[in-house]
Amino acid sequence: MQFTNGTVQEFILLGFEVGQLQRLLILTFFTLIYMLAMAENITIIILVVLDTHLARLPMYIFLSNFSWLEICYLNTNIPRMLLDLALSNKIISFSSCFLQFYIFCSLVSTECFFLSSMALDRYLAICHPLRYPQIMSPNFCYVLVTASWVLGFLAYIVPVTLISKMSFCGPNVIDHFLCDHGPIMALACPPIPEAPIISQIFMDVVVVLGNIVFVVLSYGSVIVTLMKNSSKGNRVKSFSTISLHLLVVTLYYGPLAGIYVKLGVADPHVTKIVTLCYTAITPFLNPMIYCLRNDQMKEALLRLQKRKAVFLKSKIDSEKKRKGRGNI
């Protein structure tokens, strides 16, 4: 264990304390999940970027940026976890640990703001349909996207900085597969100052709880509007769309609330499982939830395939003509 000025300079990520066979199974399973999740989210981004129709629609502007966020989420934690499972390389430097901690917290808060932006989009589309095209223009969508990223990465600068200034005089074993608030704070040496704890709790309440309240109020208003004003056919179709959004919100905020808005000390094994849910499983499931029953995404995929077929045909034809001229 290395010390500088009484503070450890490296941590050990304990990860999953399982046997060799279980370690291999976990490694195989999450490698597959990681590859599939990356492929799904990259496909969504490519479809939205290449399809001029989807690229103008607010929902798909949010969806493509949401997929990019999920890719960042995956690559912040999962490759390191897989490497530790494969090589048992559990040592992480002090600076790398806090960099991962900061990026992880920032991505958590950014996703909270993204889900609120998407809830606002659905609220305006259903509760104020006449004003929706004017309010939710592509430019305004990009403003919301930029604001989500900026606010997300500004939110936890102060708490993470204050926690990094605390004294860590040993032990240096983090009972987790990533550097997160709870396990890091458990290693801080007394006396523990109040400022880092207060700032962290304040940001958790403002960012996580605040966005949960906004999302609940938005979708609550949407459901009330649908019950009052929609015909039976439109109501079923709208509820089908909203239910997918609510499923994504529940998959994310359910585990997150269990980690960050909890009473007492959570079991480390439960914490690891719950963290895996919203860092690996949720980015894998979200593209399927949004796109499986989405006719516009399927149509965009067909258009892309047709464009690819036309491009390949024109390339083959031009190659044949070139060879034909060469034989004359």
Side-chain angles (χ1 to χ4, degrees), residues 59-317:
M59 179 179 171
Y60 296 98
I61 293 173
F62 289 126
L63 190 56
S64 60
N65 282 277
F66 191 72
S67 291
W68 172 245
L69 174 63
E70 300 286 49
I71 290 171
C72 294
Y73 234 136
L74 286 164
N75 286 288
T76 300
N77 307 309
I78 304 303
R80 169 78 203 206
M81 184 192 79
L82 296 176
L83 187 65
D84 288 348
L85 284 168
L87 304 177
S88 298
N89 178 32
K90 298 184 176 184
I91 296 175
I92 184 169
S93 68
F94 186 92
S95 57
S96 297
C97 183
F98 274 90
L99 178 61
Q100 186 191 53
F101 177 35
Y102 169 68
I103 294 174
F104 178 63
C105 288
S106 298
L107 291 174
V108 168
S109 57
T110 300
E111 185 150 354
C112 291
F113 288 117
F114 258 105
L115 291 174
S116 291
S117 298
M118 295 168 82
L120 176 64
D121 173 65
R122 291 300 86 200
Y123 167 77
L124 291 172
I126 293 172
C127 299
H128 302 281
L130 297 179
R131 298 175 60 195
Y132 176 74
Q134 287 75 34
I135 298 174
M136 199 58 71
S137 64
N139 287 338
F140 184 62
C141 291
Y142 286 117
V143 168
L144 288 175
V145 167
T146 304
S148 296
W149 281 103
V150 172
L151 290 174
F153 274 79
L154 286 177
Y156 282 92
I157 288 178
V158 173
V160 172
T161 302
L162 289 174
I163 293 171
S164 70
K165 300 298 182 183
M166 295 169 64
S167 176
F168 297 90
C169 52
N172 68 335
V173 178
I174 296 176
D175 194 2
H176 211 321
F177 61 86
L178 55 81
C179 295
D180 199 7
H181 170 254
I184 289 176
M185 290 295 291
L187 301 181
C189 297
I192 297 175
E194 292 182 358
I197 300 173
I198 293 171
S199 63
Q200 178 75 26
I201 293 173
F202 177 76
M203 291 315 303
D204 286 347
V205 170
V206 170
V207 174
V208 180
L209 200 57
N211 279 289
I212 288 176
V213 170
F214 182 84
V215 167
V216 169
L217 291 176
S218 298
Y219 285 117
S221 300
V222 166
I223 291 170
V224 170
T225 301
L226 289 175
M227 294 297 291
K228 284 183 178 179
N229 303 330
S230 299
S231 63
K232 187 176 180 180
N234 289 336
R235 190 183 303 161
V236 171
K237 184 178 179 181
S238 298
F239 267 121
S240 177
T241 303
I242 293 301
S243 65
L244 297 179
H245 287 258
L246 289 174
L247 180 58
V248 170
V249 169
T250 304
L251 280 173
Y252 183 70
Y253 278 126
L256 192 64
I259 294 291
Y260 290 99
V261 192
K262 62 181 182 292
L263 297 173
V265 179
D267 182 273
H269 300 293
V270 175
T271 300
K272 292 171 193 177
I273 293 170
V274 174
T275 304
L276 274 175
C277 285
Y278 66 87
T279 57
I281 304 299
T282 300
F284 166 69
L285 292 176
N286 281 348
M288 292 192 289
I289 293 170
Y290 275 121
C291 301
L292 231 114
R293 297 173 59 187
N294 192 315
D295 292 334
Q296 288 181 312
M297 290 296 287
K298 294 175 183 176
E299 289 169 4
L301 185 59
L302 289 173
R303 287 195 294 269
L304 184 62
Q305 289 174 339
K306 287 178 182 178
R307 284 169 61 185
K308 182 181 176 181
V310 170
F311 173 76
L312 290 175
K313 186 175 182 301
S314 63
K315 192 173 182 181
I316 291 170
D317 290 343

